[in-house]
Amino acid sequence: MPTIDVVIELSHDACLAHYEGRVGQVHTRSLDGRKVIFPAEALRRVVTRDGVHGCFRLTFSDVGRFVSIEPLT
């Protein structure tokens, strides 16, 4: 499955907007500069009290649908 590494920096308030459904998609950039869009519900797996901060690996199906998100260490 295709993967892409992204940097996500979202405050607690920004994550709350995503969580409440006021924002349906996350827009960010990959480490190599590509624009990446994925479903906001994916953040539920990695959000903390401070929001979402760091580098993450997104995995997509062969047809481009979001599958998973994992923090990079």
Side-chain angles (χ1 to χ4, degrees):
M1 284 190 220
T3 62
I4 190 165
D5 296 341
V6 297
V7 175
I8 304 174
E9 294 293 336
L10 292 173
S11 69
H12 173 76
D13 291 338
C15 288
L16 189 58
H18 287 87
Y19 186 81
E20 291 175 342
R22 292 181 279 141
V23 179
Q25 297 178 323
V26 177
H27 297 257
T28 190
R29 294 257 177 211
S30 68
L31 295 179
D32 62 5
R34 293 178 282 171
K35 184 177 178 180
V36 179
I37 301 170
F38 63 95
E41 69 182 36
L43 296 177
R44 293 179 182 171
R45 301 172 189 157
V46 295
V47 70
T48 68
R49 289 184 199 183
D50 297 325
V52 179
H53 303 279
C55 294
F56 298 86
R57 177 159 292 147
L58 305 176
T59 303
F60 296 89
S61 70
D62 292 331
V63 294
R65 297 196 51 93
F66 174 82
V67 174
S68 66
I69 183 171
E70 301 172 28
L72 295 175
T73 55

